[in-house]
Amino acid sequence: MTPLVLDTTAIKRATTPERVLTTVRDALIAHAHGRTTVPPPLHLQFPDADGDCHVKVGWVTDTPDFTVKIATGFYRNPAAGLPTNHGLVCVVSARTGQIRAILDDQGLLTAWRTAAAGALATHAMARPDAATLAVFGTGEQARLQVEWLAKLRPIDTVLVHGRSQDKTGSLCEAFNALGLDARPAMADEAAAADMVITTTPATGPVLQAGDVRAGAHVTGIGTDMPHKNELPPALFARAALIATDDHQQCLDHGDFGHAVRAGATTDTSDTPVGLLLERPVERPDDAITVADLTGVGALDAALASAVLAELAP
Amino acid sequence: MTPLVLDTTAIKRATTPERVLTTVRDALIAHAHGRTTVPPPLHLQFPDADGDCHVKVGWVTDTPDFTVKIATGFYRNPAAGLPTNHGLVCVVSARTGQIRAILDDQGLLTAWRTAAAGALATHAMARPDAATLAVFGTGEQARLQVEWLAKLRPIDTVLVHGRSQDKTGSLCEAFNALGLDARPAMADEAAAADMVITTTPATGPVLQAGDVRAGAHVTGIGTDMPHKNELPPALFARAALIATDDHQQCLDHGDFGHAVRAGATTDTSDTPVGLLLERPVERPDDAITVADLTGVGALDAALASAVLAELAP
């Protein structure tokens, strides 16, 4: 039997942001309780072509499917008219080992689970009355994080901070088209919003800890390698509550790890974000809260499984 | 662009045993010279379903493609009418990272490269005048190893040693149908052939070292996990030449490792089999030679690439 191959059109038809949010929430909770299997990824480098390949396996224990995700990045591709990133997600039955489907998703599931995790963490940890949202960065994640958080709570104002005036302007227009009141902002003004989400590939802090106001919440989703860094250690020192999506991963290559190594917090100061999604978070009104999200592989499996349940039940 | 999916019919049409033998020979030589990249495999277990999954990546350096191979084994499947093993091979460009094709090969490429490596090693290491061939085991590899060695040199007699009389008989008939003179044999008679190939999942020696004759060659291809063992350590003690397809792998989980740990030989006594394929092997007429093959992941890449070169040049 030839494996089922599903493209982005089929995948988009099979799910909704609401379904993605529910699936990712459940998977983050499962991960917080140790009910996931995520072996360290395989990594292959192609120095002559300036390329690399990661192979990641993930499983939410006792669910029907696991996934093998192949993701490549070849950084000279644009010069040849090819996309930098390529890959696919292979969905395998955890009950029979049969390959159920190949999702030719162009990175869509990874983008969705990253956006859903950020929106869920921000919504759970921010004050119920928080109404201004700032986003650092102007890429796909900046757009998705804001859009999906807006599905979880009302947002009065969106402040967009980017390095490119054009891209910042375009993103604000896109938000306006969705009925959100969005405008460009300087870093200090953005950092002073009720809710802040950073979505950049920065290798040094994108905001100053002193600009973040008492009572605010900050979520960082861009730091996924040891040399990257978005949130300053001093912000973690000020935080009353720190959440991580995966303790060891955030320690190894998240902003949390930078803060621990800088002595701004201890390596036991974090709470699994999944635990904060189970029930309303108790937080003092004037506390600062921070979420450091580095990406959990088991979410790929949960999301791919949810897509397949819809398409090939 | 939806990835190209090729099934076994297309794969079989795209190649010949001769082409597989040439490709595997070149890849074994490349591996012997360190021109391959084979990171340790990913491994996932599903104890409740008695299943496991291996993900293997391989690349022959400077060739156009690398492969990601997913292989599952779920040992309760036959009771549900499903095959135990499933998987696929994903072929990725090592120059652009684009997924070139998915080979839905039902394990065919792995079977072919295993058979080709065994036949090549046996032919290269056996005496030029060796004419009787014994095979231990009656499965797919027993059949392929003999068939392919017969393409490399004339074989007078094939002796088949198996545990099941029915399967042994059927395999002899299959060989007869190919024009080979084949008959069942007891273990001691089989072990005394000019060339011996063991292809079993045995967890203890399938032959006695004392039954192997001076001047004979023995190839073991069944031992691929630490608890498996086909060739007795005493055979390695008698061998004038020991070849391994991957030194570290054979030491970790091959018959060579059992022999080293038993003190029958030293961990530096082996020669990379690829080096023996480059030019005629010099061996005394009365020497015993042994090849321990555990399977090299880079061969998957070489073979998949060769198939694709034919189908999608």
Side-chain angles (χ1 to χ4, degrees):
Chain A
M1 199 184 72
T2 305
L4 182 68
V5 179
L6 301 171
D7 63 10
T8 52
T9 310
I11 295 167
K12 282 178 184 164
R13 213 167 27 214
T15 193
T16 60
E18 288 69 24
R19 196 177 166 80
V20 173
L21 286 163
T22 308
T23 303
V24 167
R25 176 181 174 274
D26 292 348
L28 282 170
I29 291 172
H31 191 62
H33 289 284
R35 297 195 309 268
T36 55
T37 304
V38 190
L42 271 178
H43 184 223
L44 210 59
Q45 283 190 299
F46 303 89
D48 288 351
D50 193 12
D52 55 40
C53 175
H54 284 89
V55 182
K56 291 181 183 168
V57 174
W59 184 42
V60 179
T61 316
D62 299 332
T63 58
D65 306 308
F66 67 97
T67 50
V68 181
K69 182 165 83 169
I70 303 172
T72 61
F74 278 65
Y75 303 96
R76 284 184 216 143
N77 277 359
L82 286 170
T84 300
N85 298 106
H86 206 234
L88 54 75
V89 178
C90 191
V91 188
V92 190
S93 166
R95 288 165 188 166
T96 67
Q98 310 294 295
I99 312 274
R100 292 195 61 206
I102 291 154
L103 306 186
D104 180 25
D105 78 327
Q106 312 285 330
L108 195 62
L109 296 186
T110 305
W112 281 354
R113 56 101 159 145
T114 304
L120 287 163
T122 305
H123 178 54
M125 297 176 72
R127 277 167 48 163
D129 61 348
T132 62
L133 168 64
V135 64
F136 285 73
T138 57
E140 181 184 38
Q141 278 301 314
R143 183 177 57 76
L144 280 177
Q145 295 276 345
V146 173
E147 271 186 43
W148 290 19
L149 183 56
K151 293 182 190 296
L152 296 173
R153 63 158 67 209
I155 296 171
D156 284 352
T157 312
V158 180
L159 304 174
V160 179
H161 178 74
R163 287 180 305 180
S164 148
Q165 199 172 337
D166 281 0
K167 288 183 184 170
T168 306
S170 304
L171 187 58
C172 289
E173 282 169 31
F175 289 145
N176 293 337
L178 293 171
L180 292 166
D181 180 9
R183 61 176 171 83
M186 303 297 287
D188 54 354
E189 188 191 3
D194 297 338
M195 299 174 283
V196 178
I197 305 182
T198 61
T199 67
T200 76
T203 54
V206 296
L207 53 80
Q208 307 239 359
D211 289 334
V212 176
R213 287 201 303 202
H217 170 78
V218 181
T219 293
I221 64 113
T223 305
D224 58 0
M225 291 206 270
H227 71 280
K228 292 192 187 172
N229 179 215
E230 289 190 286
L231 305 180
L235 180 64
F236 287 84
R238 287 185 64 199
L241 180 63
I242 297 169
T244 53
D245 58 354
D246 184 281
H247 173 75
Q248 197 54 49
Q249 231 175 239
C250 289
L251 207 51
D252 284 348
H253 54 255
D255 286 325
F256 176 62
H258 285 289
V260 169
R261 287 187 294 277
T265 188
T266 68
D267 66 2
T268 56
S269 64
D270 62 320
T271 301
V273 73
L275 298 184
L276 304 177
L277 303 178
E278 289 183 296
R279 58 189 66 85
V281 175
E282 292 187 19
R283 54 165 292 160
D285 273 355
D286 61 351
I288 287 178
T289 55
V290 177
D292 180 23
L293 308 180
T294 49
V296 174
L299 302 190
D300 296 322
L303 206 45
S305 200
V307 165
L308 262 196
E310 206 61 34
L311 288 172
Chain B
M1 201 185 69
T2 305
L4 182 67
V5 179
L6 301 172
D7 63 10
T8 51
T9 309
I11 295 167
K12 282 178 184 163
R13 214 168 27 217
T15 192
T16 60
E18 288 68 25
R19 195 176 166 81
V20 173
L21 286 163
T22 308
T23 303
V24 167
R25 177 182 173 274
D26 292 348
L28 282 170
I29 292 171
H31 191 63
H33 288 284
R35 296 196 309 269
T36 56
T37 304
V38 190
L42 271 178
H43 184 221
L44 210 58
Q45 283 189 300
F46 304 89
D48 289 350
D50 194 13
D52 54 40
C53 176
H54 284 89
V55 182
K56 292 181 183 169
V57 175
W59 184 43
V60 179
T61 316
D62 299 333
T63 58
D65 306 308
F66 66 97
T67 50
V68 180
K69 181 164 84 168
I70 303 172
T72 61
F74 278 66
Y75 304 96
R76 282 185 218 142
N77 277 359
L82 287 171
T84 300
N85 298 107
H86 205 234
L88 52 77
V89 179
C90 191
V91 188
V92 191
S93 165
R95 288 163 188 168
T96 67
Q98 311 293 296
I99 312 272
R100 292 195 61 207
I102 290 154
L103 306 186
D104 179 24
D105 76 330
Q106 312 285 331
L108 195 62
L109 296 186
T110 305
W112 282 354
R113 56 103 158 144
T114 304
L120 288 162
T122 304
H123 178 56
M125 297 176 73
R127 277 167 48 164
D129 61 350
T132 61
L133 168 65
V135 64
F136 284 73
T138 56
E140 182 184 36
Q141 278 301 315
R143 185 176 56 78
L144 280 177
Q145 295 276 346
V146 172
E147 272 186 42
W148 291 20
L149 182 56
K151 292 180 191 298
L152 297 172
R153 62 159 67 207
I155 296 171
D156 284 351
T157 311
V158 180
L159 303 174
V160 179
H161 179 74
R163 286 180 305 180
S164 148
Q165 199 171 338
D166 281 359
K167 288 184 185 169
T168 306
S170 304
L171 187 58
C172 288
E173 281 169 32
F175 288 146
N176 292 337
L178 292 171
L180 292 165
D181 180 8
R183 61 178 172 81
M186 302 298 284
D188 54 355
E189 188 192 4
D194 295 339
M195 299 174 282
V196 177
I197 306 182
T198 61
T199 68
T200 76
T203 54
V206 296
L207 53 79
Q208 306 238 2
D211 289 333
V212 177
R213 287 201 303 203
H217 171 78
V218 181
T219 293
I221 65 112
T223 304
D224 58 359
M225 291 205 271
H227 71 280
K228 290 192 189 173
N229 179 214
E230 289 190 287
L231 305 181
L235 180 65
F236 287 84
R238 287 185 64 198
L241 179 63
I242 296 168
T244 53
D245 58 355
D246 184 279
H247 173 74
Q248 197 54 51
Q249 233 175 239
C250 290
L251 207 50
D252 284 349
H253 55 256
D255 286 325
F256 176 61
H258 285 289
V260 170
R261 287 188 294 279
T265 188
T266 67
D267 66 0
T268 56
S269 64
D270 63 319
T271 301
V273 73
L275 298 185
L276 304 178
L277 302 179
E278 289 183 296
R279 61 189 64 85
V281 175
E282 294 187 19
R283 52 165 294 160
D285 273 356
D286 61 350
I288 287 178
T289 54
V290 177
D292 180 22
L293 309 180
T294 49
V296 174
L299 302 190
D300 297 323
L303 205 46
S305 200
V307 165
L308 262 196
E310 205 61 33
L311 288 172

